[in-house]
């Protein structure tokens, strides 16, 4: 193995034509640089330069090694630059996937904190309706993504090399119009009480909601309006207008732009888990940094 310092000395002599000038360029004394060159000749097993009264010139072996050395030193400089970028996140791009609720209410403050710390990293955000974010991370379309699953449901295992890490678990609650009879009382409402009640059915064909819709159907809740949009803004608007009741995530109900009344359900088996999808140890430095912010930014610990 050749010492990069000695390779740099040889290149400097090749470029300056003088040991003295090369030493001054590198910050060495001439004797110290001569010692480095002598060690390099022993490593190479060949005479690399010839001294003369006007300076020094490289031999054929010296020219060959100097040419290779330039490429090696350029690669090392590029590596140092790229490592500095990774350590300081002074450039590059971070691609994030999200679904609507998280993109509107959870992700912006986390991305804001990331941008304050790393203003030179380009941010790109793409919306994926779950489970599309998992596929996007798997395909390399994004560096990480926020997704969700519902209970009751059976979640599919993630693809190899992809991790789905829970960040937040929230209950699904009953949303009704203000003043609705089912909203009266402070205790939990038995799911059986939904039997025969008009229900705003939220995207029953949507994979994350199928288990919830099936459980509500088993409890006798009758779909009054089938809302095929996977987003909840339309569902909440229909509920607020008195067209039926709906079972929605607690966050959705509390942040609804239309007035709603909320009641917790019994049993409390209806839940939504918000998770972050990433590549584990293969995550980029920017993705790992945002992942740490997401872990610390969610107020409630995830539970299985």
């Amino acid at each position: 193995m050749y010492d990069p310092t000695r390779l740099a000395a040889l290149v400097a002599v090749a470029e300056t034509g003088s040991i003295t000038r090369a030493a001054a360029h590198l910050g060495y004394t001439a004797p110290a640089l001569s010692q480095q060159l002598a060690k390099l000749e022993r490593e190479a097993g060949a005479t690399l330069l010839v001294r003369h009264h006007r300076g020094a010139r490289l031999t054929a072996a010296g020219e060959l090694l100097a040419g290779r050395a330039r490429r090696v030193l350029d690669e090392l400089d590029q590596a140092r630059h790229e490592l500095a970028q990774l350590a300081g996140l002074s450039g590059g791009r971070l691609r994030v996937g999200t679904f609507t609720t998280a993109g509107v209410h959870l992700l912006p403050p986390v991305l804001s904190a990331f941008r304050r710390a790393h203003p030179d990293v380009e941010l790109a955000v793409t919306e994926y309706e779950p489970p599309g974010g998992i596929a996007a991370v798997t395909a390399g379309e994004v560096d990480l993504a926020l997704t969700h699953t519902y209970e009751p449901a059976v979640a599919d295992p993630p693809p190899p090399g992809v991790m789905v890490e829970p960040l937040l678990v929230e209950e699904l609650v009953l949303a009704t119009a203000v003043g609705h009879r089912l909203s009266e009382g402070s205790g939990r409402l038995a799911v059986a009480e939904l039997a025969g009640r008009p229900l705003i059915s939220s995207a029953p064909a949507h994979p994350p909601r199928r288990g919830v819709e099936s459980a509500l159907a088993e409890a006798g809740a009758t779909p009054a309006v089938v809302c095929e949009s996977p987003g909840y803004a339309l569902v909440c608007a229909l509920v607020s207008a008195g067209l039926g009741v709906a079972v929605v995530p607690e966050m959705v109900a509390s942040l609804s732009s239309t007035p709603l009344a909320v009641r917790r359900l019994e049993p409390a088996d209806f839940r939504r888990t918000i998770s972050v999808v990433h590549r584990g140890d293969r995550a980029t430095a920017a993705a790992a940094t945002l992942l740490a912010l997401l872990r610390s930014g969610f107020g409630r610990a995830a539970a299985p």
Side-chain angles (χ1 to χ4, degrees):
M1 296 292 292
Y2 294 113
D3 187 321
T5 302
R6 295 166 193 158
L7 293 177
L10 181 66
V11 171
V13 172
E15 292 175 348
T16 63
S18 165
I19 293 177
T20 302
R21 287 192 294 270
H25 175 72
L26 295 173
Y28 285 89
T29 64
L33 188 65
S34 292
Q35 290 178 8
Q36 293 295 324
L37 291 168
K39 291 178 180 178
L40 182 61
E41 287 183 317
R42 288 195 295 270
E43 290 174 346
T47 301
L48 301 176
L49 53 88
V50 176
R51 294 166 177 81
H52 52 81
H53 67 281
R54 290 182 298 179
R57 64 174 178 80
L58 271 58
T59 64
E63 292 287 357
L64 187 153
L65 184 57
R68 299 287 187 181
R70 287 187 180 93
R71 290 193 285 273
V72 170
L73 294 171
D74 287 343
E75 287 293 327
L76 289 174
D77 284 340
Q78 182 64 26
R80 279 191 286 269
H81 174 70
E82 291 174 357
L83 287 171
Q85 282 189 320
L86 288 177
L89 294 179
S90 57
R93 188 182 191 201
L94 176 62
R95 302 163 302 166
V96 183
T98 185
F99 59 96
T100 303
T101 306
V104 173
H105 302 296
L106 299 177
L107 189 58
V110 180
L111 287 181
S112 179
F114 180 91
R115 170 54 59 82
R116 288 194 301 271
H118 310 291
D120 295 329
V121 177
E122 178 186 346
L123 293 174
V125 180
T126 304
E127 187 172 352
Y128 296 93
E129 186 58 35
I134 298 176
V137 172
T138 304
E141 296 173 4
V142 294
D143 299 302
L144 53 76
L146 293 174
T147 189
H148 61 55
T149 55
Y150 284 82
E151 292 180 49
V154 178
D156 294 327
V162 173
M163 299 183 66
V164 179
E165 179 180 331
L167 293 173
L168 173 68
V169 178
E170 59 177 337
E171 283 190 39
L172 304 186
V173 296
L174 179 70
T176 71
V178 175
H180 193 284
R181 191 181 73 79
L182 290 181
S183 68
E184 298 173 357
S186 57
R188 290 180 177 271
L189 179 73
V191 174
E193 291 293 320
L194 298 179
R197 304 288 180 181
L199 180 75
I200 308 297
S201 183
S202 177
H206 188 235
R209 287 282 304 190
R210 284 176 187 155
V212 174
E213 296 289 333
S214 296
L216 292 173
E218 290 175 4
T222 305
V225 178
V226 175
C227 183
E228 292 292 352
S229 169
Y232 281 111
L234 180 55
V235 172
C236 291
L238 296 174
V239 170
S240 183
L243 295 175
V245 300
V247 175
V248 300
E250 184 178 5
M251 185 188 312
V252 169
S254 64
L255 298 173
S256 172
S257 61
T258 54
L260 297 174
V262 176
R263 187 89 178 269
R264 294 187 181 276
L265 295 170
E266 179 65 41
D269 294 336
F270 295 86
R271 293 189 289 263
R272 179 172 76 166
T273 299
I274 296 175
S275 303
V276 58
V277 187
H278 58 90
R279 298 188 185 92
D281 294 339
R282 297 183 296 117
T284 65
T289 300
L290 184 64
L291 180 59
L293 289 173
L294 287 168
R295 287 168 176 158
S296 62
F298 283 72
R300 282 175 284 178

